[in-house]
Amino acid sequence: MPVSDYIVTIGLEVHCQIKTNTKMFCGCETSFADEPNTHTCPTCLGLPGALPVLNEFAIERTILAGMLLGCSTPPTVVWDRKNYFYPDMPKDYQITQMDLPLCLGGGVPLYSHTYPKEAQKNIVNPGKVVELNRIHLEEDVAKSTHLANSTLIDFNRAGTPLMEIVSEPDIASAEETFAYLKSLQQILIAGGISDADMEKGQMRCDVNISVRKNESDPLGTKIELKNMNSTSAVRRAIHYEVARQCEALDTDEPLVQSTRRWSDELEETQEMRTKEDAHDYRYFPDPDLLPVRTAAYIEKVRPLVAELPHEKSARYQVDLGLTEYDASVITSDVHLAAYFEQAAEATKAPGKKIANWIINNLLGLLNEKSLEISDSPITAQTLGGILDLIEAGTVSNSQAKDLFAALWENPEKDPATLAKEMGFEPADTGAIDAIVDEVIASNPDKVAEIQGGNEKLLNFLTGQVMKASKGKANPKLATDALKEKIL
Ligand code: ZN
Ligand code: MN
């Protein structure tokens, strides 16, 4: 049976570092660029007798993330110990939340523009919201670096506040998984919760995959892909794993519940362990930490709930007349959205035009030069200035493009001044008048047609005026003059 006929079910566990200054249960700084083992204390080194103290800011941020994603928060939450032996966690347990996490339910909307490019034309379930099971707060472990005969451990990362966002098995393909991770990233960044940079290890995920033949069958054998840290690798790994599992079902080879890792070099998944050697973590409430009442935190963060990309996008479409596509591009990056709003404040041009200029001219050039929007030599004010010149008829669209290029090289200049220097000031009316008269005189048939109602031909005559003026005339003024004389 072809792979495409199988039903794929995917659930994600995403670990995401929260942007905080200090660790989850001690006052050590969260800093990763520094010398190894320079931000440690008895608590995050797990020394006997050291006691944990809660980081309230991390609790607030987790509740805020939950609010952004439509989760509910139980009135009381509890901290549990997850017991296991591994050198990256010297107390031999991780403090986490098992039965009463900070957030329950909710969902992640999959934004169309976050699907892989070639999948965007064929989205199976547009507007889908992936259901969440929970978000809990826990501590990160130390970072191990494995060498040939030894392992180095850096405790700077140990105890960093980590949010674990657990989805329901509600994702149906590698493409949806890709969109899920990208959409989640955008939301967490917009909300100021995390920088969610997978390359920097701020976001990592475990992917649970199963396949089955019919909707009425129970879910297939669950296979987990551990510790994925790039969205494109996740996509490739899922494609590989789905094909592998389907082939096993086709040949009646039994699938075993297991954990696998993705090898980027070999482009394949490899078995790490099966269910038989799964840990029993012996969860129990941490006797060093009291349960937390959440009501006061909820009230504190409620005013901080930021406008999410899809809410912004809806506002831009309704209030500023942007197309759905343009709005989704502009809102995919908080900094880009801020730039757009600043430009909109700086010009009288309609939002649709501003978005066009940003997407068609600015983003292209930024991309070409590998620059971020925050590094753009053309500021939002400058772009607003250019658009005002177009609106006022001082420069034509194509002249504006030249002006844009010139301002890119001379960002300190004022658009209006530079336009004048480039000779884009409207030619004096007398000069245009003479050219217009000439054009009218040499095109009597066109003039008659226009007078007969074919006003589209005005564009042709405007073109003639532009040509005769060697591009210096302002097309809007030329058309106005033509209209006045002919109609
Ligand atoms: Zn510490
Ligand atoms: Mn975890």
Side-chain angles (χ1 to χ4, degrees), residues 15 94 136 138 164:
H15 283 100
Q94 177 190 33
H136 60 255
E138 57 189 33
E164 184 170 337

Side-chain angles (χ1 to χ4, degrees), residues 322-347:
L322 266 59
T323 63
E324 190 187 341
Y325 174 80
D326 287 358
S328 74
V329 173
I330 299 281
T331 54
S332 66
D333 175 345
V334 264
H335 303 293
L336 188 59
Y339 184 99
F340 169 73
E341 296 203 7
Q342 282 166 24
E345 257 173 45
T347 175

